[in-house]
Amino acid sequence: MIKFLNELSDLRVQISGWKRNGYIVGLVPTMGSLHNGHLSLLSIAREHCDKVVTSIYVNPTQFSENEDFYRYPRDVNADLEKLSSSNTCDLVYQPSNMYHKEHKTYIVPNGVALNLETENRPHFFDGVSTIVLKLFNQIQPDIVIFGEKDYQQLLVVKQLMRDLDLPIQIVAGKIFREKDGLAMSSRNVYLSENERKLASNIYRVLKLTRKKIQQGFDVSKVIKNGIAELGSIGINQIDYFTLRDPDNLERLTQFNKDSRLLIALYVGTTRLIDNISVPLINNGETDIEN
Ligand code: PAF
């Protein structure tokens, strides 16, 4: 039976009971509207932990005013059904509010938080880092699973753990994709039928670009071609499409080590992000997932 808690005081009683029993507690933080990508993160938590918590909270501080906080998909009943039938967690924590009305303290990360998402969403990682730290303080997990779909977020959280000495292991979960390659995201529900079809080209172009990079073509030319290819099918608003160091996200103009291709773009009015690893390989094999 999954437990469902809203109150921090109840959560603390439950967690301290588990800790007294020596259980390893895992957490998958979410904003709800759960899909199979979330469930895959929860199964990783199941493998590593005795007790698994998922939090559901649409965090207002990571949205800017022109973003979709108010219309972000929320369906707790559907979420609970998915969680019960997959049997992937023991406790759902759904606080109604995480911020005191006098809340004044924010984490402002540097390093890997600069550039990429931050160029278009300046306060995004302040909001994410602040809520993540609050959730960690409340839930006190030993292990937390974050998806690679939000690759920069994963690195920002790892940096936060390192810089603030938090005794928590961060585990990365692979990107979960629809059959046609579109990375699963709660925001995919915003796409019309036609936009949904267009969106499957993102992964196709990522894979094509990776192949060309691995074959030794000039990185900036190959990325330009990828942007042109997306433009030719009507995806014209691209916030970034870039090859980066997978650990510190520094821009790479040449392909001479394992790298990561990251992309953010709009399909219609919906902003989507995706990324793919670009391993340095010598045997000509290029079709490596993720
Ligand atoms: O990735 C998300 O869903 C959110 O950014 C997170 C980590 C739950 C923080 O609100």
Side-chain angles (χ1 to χ4, degrees):
M1 251 310 256
I2 299 182
K3 252 199 169 161
F4 185 84
L5 298 177
N6 302 110
E7 296 298 329
L8 177 56
S9 49
D10 297 334
L11 174 79
R12 288 210 152 122
V13 171
Q14 178 66 79
I15 299 287
S16 55
W18 284 346
K19 296 267 168 175
R20 264 197 310 278
N21 283 324
Y23 291 147
I24 294 179
V25 176
L27 168 66
V28 176
T30 80
M31 300 208 296
S33 191
L34 303 179
H35 48 66
N36 289 342
H38 293 113
L39 298 184
S40 76
L41 302 182
L42 282 160
S43 357
I44 297 175
R46 261 275 181 266
E47 270 169 44
H48 289 76
C49 308
D50 302 310
K51 296 289 176 190
V52 176
V53 182
T54 186
S55 59
I56 298 183
Y57 180 67
V58 185
N59 171 37
T61 64
Q62 68 190 74
F63 290 78
S64 59
E65 263 169 31
N66 58 350
E67 285 184 323
D68 55 343
F69 175 70
Y70 290 104
R71 70 179 190 119
Y72 193 84
R74 294 163 171 88
D75 190 347
V76 177
N77 290 336
D79 288 346
L80 288 182
E81 224 171 276
K82 282 178 196 154
L83 291 169
S84 313
S85 52
S86 61
N87 189 28
T88 40
C89 87
D90 303 289
L91 169 60
V92 180
Y93 177 50
Q94 195 208 9
S96 54
N97 184 17
M98 288 285 289
Y99 297 93
H100 189 274
K101 58 181 184 323
E102 297 292 333
H103 185 98
K104 293 283 186 277
T105 308
Y106 291 91
I107 302 286
V108 181
N110 247 289
V112 289
L114 302 176
N115 307 315
L116 300 176
E117 286 303 289
T118 299
E119 276 162 24
N120 302 285
R121 312 169 78 193
H123 304 294
F124 176 64
F125 287 122
D126 303 357
V128 167
S129 304
T130 304
I131 196 66
V132 157
L133 187 57
K134 282 170 72 66
L135 286 167
F136 291 1
N137 283 331
Q138 294 190 352
I139 300 165
Q140 308 211 348
D142 301 290
I143 298 177
V144 184
I145 324 295
F146 281 88
E148 286 187 340
K149 152 93 178 2
D150 296 279
Y151 192 79
Q152 191 178 10
Q153 169 173 278
L154 168 70
L155 295 190
V156 168
V157 173
K158 283 187 175 169
Q159 180 180 266
L160 181 73
M161 298 301 97
R162 183 199 67 196
D163 290 353
L164 300 187
D165 309 309
L166 293 167
I168 296 173
Q169 189 192 342
I170 303 297
V171 174
K174 294 257 171 274
I175 298 178
F176 221 71
R177 297 184 181 280
E178 303 286 356
K179 277 207 186 80
D180 64 3
L182 177 64
M184 287 195 187
S185 159
S186 305
R187 289 189 167 99
N188 290 350
V189 298
Y190 296 152
L191 299 169
S192 69
E193 207 177 308
N194 191 36
E195 289 169 347
R196 173 65 192 75
K197 276 187 203 141
L198 275 185
S200 66
N201 287 286
I202 302 168
Y203 186 49
R204 183 178 67 74
V205 169
L206 276 174
K207 284 206 297 186
L208 189 70
T209 308
R210 168 171 66 189
K211 193 168 178 179
K212 293 280 175 205
I213 289 173
Q214 287 176 321
Q215 285 170 346
F217 290 95
D218 179 79
V219 170
S220 68
K221 277 193 194 139
V222 167
I223 288 179
K224 262 193 204 132
N225 290 344
I227 291 174
E229 168 96 23
L230 288 166
S232 72
I233 54 160
I235 299 179
N236 293 302
Q237 199 182 340
I238 296 179
D239 282 347
Y240 55 80
F241 186 16
T242 179
L243 189 71
R244 297 282 162 140
D245 180 297
D247 299 319
N248 58 26
L249 292 184
E250 269 166 26
R251 185 189 297 277
L252 300 175
T253 48
Q254 283 182 352
F255 179 56
N256 49 22
K257 56 173 168 176
D258 288 349
S259 311
R260 197 108 194 160
L261 261 176
L262 299 106
I263 195 164
L265 49 72
Y266 283 83
V267 177
T269 54
T270 304
R271 189 172 186 277
L272 300 174
I273 59 173
D274 201 348
N275 66 84
I276 195 169
S277 72
V278 190
L280 199 58
I281 46 172
N282 305 316
N283 58 4
E285 194 189 316
T286 53
D287 201 21
I288 292 164
E289 294 307 302
N290 284 299

